[in-house]
Amino acid sequence: MRGPLFYSKILLFGEYGIIKDSKGLSIPYNFYNGALKTEKNPSEEAKKSNDNLRRFIAYLETIDENLVAFDIPAMKAHVEAGMYFDSSIPQGYGVGSSGALVAAIYDKYAFQKITVLENLTREKLLKLKAIFSAMESFFHGKSSGLDPLNSYLSIPILINSKDNIEATGIPAQQIEGKGAVFLLDSGSVGETAPMVSIFMESMKQEGFRNMLKNQFIKHTDACVEDFLKGDIKSLFHNTKKLSKVVLNHFKPMIPQQFHKLWKMGIETNDYYLKLCGSGGGGYILGFTQDIEKAKLALSGYKLEVVYNF
């Protein structure tokens, strides 16, 4: 038995900023995926996932039924029969492993679910986001609901502000293009909750709040607009600014051994790095106008190209 596939996601722009109403752009990343599955002889990994689902069900029973109601008896019966989430999405890497699981559970067990096939009005998108936010909070303590939304719909999502999101199209990839967005493997796992609490603690300082509004959010919004317009020259100009701000003000979210590489990219213009998700480990997102140059500069590291300019 295997259910439909749900994909990982990449938040190209908007990490941390969207908590404070910056723009954001999230795209599906089909390289990784997951599905609900039942097997006769489960592996240790499957048993762990099955235990996790048990706890998740207990949590889902506490969600307000006016927001969303689930077929809990069916879910419990399936979990008893050994159901687990079979996933290739790395956990703690900022590419939405819990989001795909939430999307799969909603798809299979929610009553009166909003489907991908209907006319997705802003109201419906916001309702889905609220449902997914409540569901995914089980994993992170606080969730925007965007990861599961992206995984469930499998289309790019443009975040204009907290209460204004829309499905969007992105410029077609130039497969022959030298420019690229890539993932850089930090080699360690990142935990979302502690990173978010560091951010919330920083938000208590007026200087940090000003920097967020006048620099971080300003550059993030510009990057989103450039990317959607396909204005590559301006995009790299603004990504460089964003990379600088992150290096100066989000140091705890950047694994120590990458501080030097981050700075080197800004100085040489061979590539610019930014956070992928909450940081602290997992993947780092890179932008380059020449992928061969970036590979050379970052030789010894694992790069995965996710989008070509």
Side-chain angles (χ1 to χ4, degrees):
M1 285 226 350
R2 194 189 171 104
L5 287 176
F6 290 91
Y7 296 107
S8 52
K9 69 87 197 95
I10 292 172
L11 185 62
L12 280 183
F13 301 104
E15 70 293 334
Y16 292 107
I18 54 175
I19 299 175
K20 293 291 158 199
D21 261 4
S22 80
K23 283 185 185 291
L25 182 63
S26 184
I27 62 170
Y29 182 41
N30 300 354
F31 188 73
Y32 297 119
N33 56 55
L36 292 167
K37 203 170 173 184
T38 309
E39 256 172 28
K40 285 276 191 292
N41 305 307
S43 63
E44 280 313 303
E45 199 61 26
K47 284 178 187 163
K48 226 161 74 183
S49 169
N50 178 267
D51 281 345
N52 202 11
L53 280 178
R54 249 169 241 273
R55 290 194 294 277
F56 190 34
I57 293 171
Y59 169 78
L60 292 179
E61 287 187 274
T62 68
I63 290 181
D64 182 356
E65 287 199 351
N66 293 322
L67 180 64
V68 61
F70 297 97
D71 188 346
I72 300 285
M75 217 186 296
K76 283 182 173 168
H78 293 160
V79 167
E80 280 308 315
M83 182 174 76
Y84 68 101
F85 191 59
D86 181 27
S87 168
S88 65
I89 307 170
Q91 290 188 339
Y93 264 68
V95 285
S97 54
S98 57
L101 167 57
V102 165
I105 292 288
Y106 176 81
D107 181 63
K108 195 170 169 73
Y109 298 105
F111 290 123
Q112 295 164 331
K113 67 177 185 187
I114 296 167
T115 71
V116 189
L117 301 170
E118 56 198 86
N119 178 16
L120 288 167
T121 59
R122 186 171 295 169
E123 285 68 37
K124 282 180 186 168
L125 283 173
L126 285 172
K127 171 100 194 265
L128 270 175
K129 184 174 174 283
I131 290 168
F132 290 147
S133 167
M135 290 174 73
E136 201 184 30
S137 293
F138 169 75
F139 300 97
H140 297 318
K142 188 177 192 302
S143 156
S144 68
L146 277 168
D147 287 6
L149 184 66
N150 206 292
S151 190
Y152 182 63
L153 300 175
S154 215
I155 47 179
I157 305 281
L158 170 63
I159 302 107
N160 292 303
S161 66
K162 263 205 226 33
D163 308 319
N164 182 351
I165 56 174
E166 56 186 295
T168 188
I170 57 174
Q173 293 203 54
Q174 307 297 321
I175 301 304
E176 299 300 308
K178 277 162 67 170
V181 180
F182 59 88
L183 291 175
L184 180 66
D185 191 343
S186 74
S188 64
V189 169
E191 292 276 338
T192 300
M195 292 297 128
V196 172
S197 71
I198 291 171
F199 174 76
M200 288 310 195
E201 205 45 47
S202 304
M203 283 300 289
K204 292 175 182 170
Q205 301 158 22
E206 193 186 347
F208 188 86
R209 288 199 303 273
N210 288 338
M211 173 281 302
L212 198 79
K213 191 169 123 208
N214 301 325
Q215 296 175 49
F216 187 78
I217 289 178
K218 190 177 130 196
H219 302 329
T220 296
D221 288 359
C223 286
V224 171
E225 283 163 25
D226 290 340
F227 188 91
L228 291 175
K229 282 198 306 229
D231 186 342
I232 305 307
K233 194 175 168 206
S234 182
L235 173 68
F236 280 97
H237 175 69
N238 285 310
T239 305
K240 179 176 184 173
K241 287 182 180 170
L242 188 58
S243 185
K244 247 186 213 165
V245 171
V246 173
L247 182 62
N248 291 335
H249 300 282
F250 288 78
K251 274 225 167 66
M253 288 75 167
I254 304 170
Q256 188 64 45
Q257 69 275 29
F258 286 93
H259 289 185
K260 221 167 123 187
L261 272 187
W262 204 286
K263 193 162 178 266
M264 196 174 87
I266 294 166
E267 286 167 358
T268 61
N269 295 315
D270 286 348
Y271 58 86
Y272 305 126
L273 300 178
K274 61 181 293 296
L275 297 172
C276 179
S278 54
Y283 284 122
I284 291 165
L285 207 49
F287 286 73
T288 179
Q289 299 193 64
D290 186 337
I291 188 64
E292 293 313 316
K293 243 187 195 169
K295 279 179 179 167
L296 213 59
L298 296 163
S299 62
Y301 292 92
K302 213 169 90 199
L303 264 63
E304 269 174 49
V305 172
V306 298
Y307 186 92
N308 286 93
F309 294 113

